[in-house]
Amino acid sequence: MEQQPPISDYGFLSDSRSGALVGKDGSVDWWCPARFDGASVFGRLLDPSGGHFRLAPVGVGGPRFRVERSYRPDSLVLRTVHHTPDGSVAVTDALAAEMGARAHELGKNSPAVLVRVVEGLSGRVRMALDFAPRPEYGLLTPYLHKQPDGGVLAGAGPVVLVLRANGLDLRPDADRVTHEFEVSSGQVIGIDVAFGEAYGTPPARLDPLVALDETTRAWQAFRQMHRYTGRYPELVRHSTTVLTGLTYARSGAVAAALTSSLPEQIGGDRNYDYRYSWLRDFSLTMRALWVAACPDETSRLFAWVSRSIGRFGDEPVPVLFGLEGERDLSEHHCTHLRGYRDSGPVRAGNDAWRQRQLDVPGEVMSAVWRLRDHLGTEFEGELREMVLGLTEQVAATWHLPDRGIWETREEERHYVSSKVSCWLAMDRAVGLADRLGERGDPQRWGRVRDEIRETVLREGWNDRIGAFTGAFGSAELDASVLALPVARFLPATDPRMRSTIAMVERDLGTESGLLRRWTTDPAGFLLCSFWLVECLVMAGERERAAALFERVAGYGNDVGLFSEQIDLVTGAQLGNTPQALSHIGLINAAWRLTEPDSF
């Protein structure tokens, strides 16, 4: 039975409106063209019959075939070179930028066109094209119609796709287009798939070769605006490009990942939809964009947060939003999809939006603090109301249990990392009080902050184990406590933190250098591993931190992409991909190695 390629086989394309995954076998197996969190038209990633667009040499994957891939510099334009017994051919893939778009215009008016350009490099290579769209997560099989210009229109439900190929006579079958053709050295063939709405905007028409070059220029112009001067510049620049690729340009929101339901463990059921924007990730993203010298992105992201939260009521601060600020992200199972390598269920939506997660206000307040000098000496309007609302909600609710940073779907507990984030929120509120007008109350807020700190030091520390544990009264270690020195709750050189770091490294670390979140976690979690790098730097162990950083960074795939987790036995990537937090963790750890006292 057919199964999907390894997660690390996929390259990432983006137009900062949506994203696509293309495998080493030349198959585009994931594309949600309307926007990142929209319905897929190619979904083979989650079911072999979920739709795909394969373009590769006949026999690709055989023993005498070899594949090399790379991005054009400072872009998400992916070039795949196939070496075959008969010659070599390159396929260059991109999601097209709007013609003439440069810098921060990238993605705001993307035409929703997938471009694929075939170039013969040597010999004569026989190519195979297999276009099988399945809109609405595979629920729809479109009608296919030959067009007067030689293209093929695929229409079903609300979706229209048009496939065009320069110089190829495409003829549709009942439910797909298949075609074989030969490419000689020096020959170039442009192919594109344009998305449109059945009752709205029609598919765009463009020249694939021109669009490819324009898209490359748009990405490179964007990156040239930002200069990073720290250690590991190539890794940081590429991770920043990936973050830009996960940014929904129209609002500035950053999707946590491109995909839904890629499993934390093959055959497991911890498969969630990560195509939304989490407020928890907000502060970490702000740090990363600040490191990468991207102030315009941080301003856009902050404006999105303020608008998305809206006015405060009695309900908890929302955990996550749709990319245009949608609140209700109710989850449902796509029961017709088998899941990646039969790892079900496949989910659309994420019920974590209903949870209480007390760390969220602290992450937002930390971001406000970081941007304070760009926000004026006196906060006004929506910004002031948001800061005051977050502060008062933390003051009123910090003593309650919550679901924690790992979004457990079990009972609520008093998680140490959540309480520390509450402390962070109140500490930042005290520092911002003089910008909040007469409603600022630094004395009362300071008392709440100090009470939280005393409670964490008393209830979070386990004297028998000699470490801060995951939750009050627990004997279980949790890698989330590595956030304590990062938040400056306690210095990494404090004896309690030194002991905690050592215990976490001993009991949650692995021979691979990766860190698990807890003792029964089946995989290494990349963000936690980068947190450990930061803690080691702050504890004065910079050489060991650098060695660990390089080891963890080595788990990226051949084009520098990171998923969420790594299988501890095989080293295979697991979880949704590309994962924003993994790339954020890399950027922040690299800067910590550059400037230990930063942030």
Side-chain angles (χ1 to χ4, degrees), residues 145-153 162-165 168 170-172 205:
H145 301 283
K146 180 80 171 181
Q147 299 296 288
D149 64 359
V152 175
L153 184 147
V162 176
L163 169 67
R164 298 184 180 94
L168 301 183
L170 302 176
R171 297 184 180 276
R205 180 161 190 160

Side-chain angles (χ1 to χ4, degrees), residues 261 268-272 331 333-334 337-339 343-347:
S261 303
D269 62 358
R270 287 181 57 87
N271 319 317
Y272 301 113
E331 183 178 297
H333 291 185
C334 300
L337 298 176
R338 286 166 37 187
S343 302
V346 171
R347 293 177 167 96

Side-chain angles (χ1 to χ4, degrees), residues 200-278:
T201 306
R205 180 161 190 160
L206 45 73
D207 182 322
L209 276 64
V210 173
L212 195 65
D213 288 339
E214 277 289 306
T215 301
T216 302
R217 292 191 189 100
W219 278 104
Q220 291 175 345
F222 191 93
R223 287 273 61 86
Q224 286 168 7
M225 293 179 62
H226 311 114
R227 301 297 181 188
Y228 170 78
T229 58
R231 297 183 67 176
Y232 308 105
E234 293 302 317
L235 288 173
V236 169
R237 285 176 65 86
H238 183 56
S239 284
T240 306
T241 300
V242 173
L243 282 183
T244 304
L246 290 170
T247 300
Y248 182 68
R250 294 179 182 179
S251 67
V254 178
L258 178 64
T259 58
S260 172
S261 303
L262 292 183
E264 296 181 8
Q265 184 176 21
I266 301 299
D269 62 358
R270 287 181 57 87
N271 319 317
Y272 301 113
D273 192 347
Y274 278 13
R275 298 173 299 157
Y276 309 108
S277 195
W278 267 253

Side-chain angles (χ1 to χ4, degrees), residues 37-101:
D37 52 358
S40 65
V41 295
F42 302 135
R44 177 174 172 255
L45 182 72
L46 298 178
D47 191 288
S49 62
H52 63 271
F53 178 20
R54 182 179 290 113
L55 180 64
V58 173
V60 67
R64 299 178 63 193
F65 289 73
R66 182 168 56 88
V67 173
E68 296 177 318
R69 300 190 299 179
S70 62
Y71 285 108
R72 287 184 175 180
D74 288 331
S75 81
L76 292 179
V77 176
L78 181 64
R79 187 173 190 262
T80 302
V81 177
H82 299 274
H83 300 285
T84 80
D86 299 316
S88 297
V89 62
V91 179
T92 304
D93 295 317
L95 287 177
E98 181 188 16
M99 295 295 290

Side-chain angles (χ1 to χ4, degrees), residues 282-420:
F282 181 64
S283 182
L284 291 172
T285 304
M286 298 292 283
R287 286 176 60 197
L289 294 178
W290 175 76
V291 164
C294 305
D296 290 337
E297 290 97 310
T298 61
S299 299
R300 281 198 301 159
L301 183 54
F302 187 78
W304 171 82
V305 168
S306 178
R307 177 174 292 273
S308 297
I309 291 176
R311 289 192 178 275
F312 283 87
D314 295 331
E315 69 278 1
V317 177
V319 176
L320 68 154
F321 295 95
L323 300 179
E324 293 184 356
E326 297 88 349
R327 182 74 59 92
D328 187 341
L329 302 176
S330 295
E331 183 178 297
H332 69 274
H333 291 185
C334 300
T335 56
H336 62 289
L337 298 176
R338 286 166 37 187
Y340 178 81
R341 297 192 175 184
D342 294 315
S343 302
V346 171
R347 293 177 167 96
N350 195 310
D351 276 344
W353 77 274
R354 306 176 189 272
Q355 294 183 354
R356 175 168 50 234
Q357 297 179 19
L358 293 174
D359 66 305
V360 170
E363 301 297 349
V364 178
M365 292 290 287
S366 178
V368 175
W369 177 259
R370 191 171 307 284
L371 274 177
R372 65 192 185 280
D373 291 337
H374 300 281
L375 298 173
T377 57
E378 185 172 343
F379 294 173
E380 298 178 348
E382 295 174 5
L383 174 62
R384 181 180 60 210
E385 294 304 314
M386 184 186 75
V387 172
L388 288 167
L390 289 170
T391 302
E392 295 300 348
Q393 185 162 116
V394 172
T397 63
W398 72 268
H399 60 283
L400 298 175
D402 75 326
R403 300 287 183 181
I405 188 173
W406 308 129
E407 298 184 345
T408 175
R409 298 199 174 189
E410 300 169 356
E411 66 177 357
E412 293 182 334
R413 302 176 70 185
H414 293 280
Y415 290 100
V416 170
S417 59
S418 294
K419 305 303 184 190
V420 169

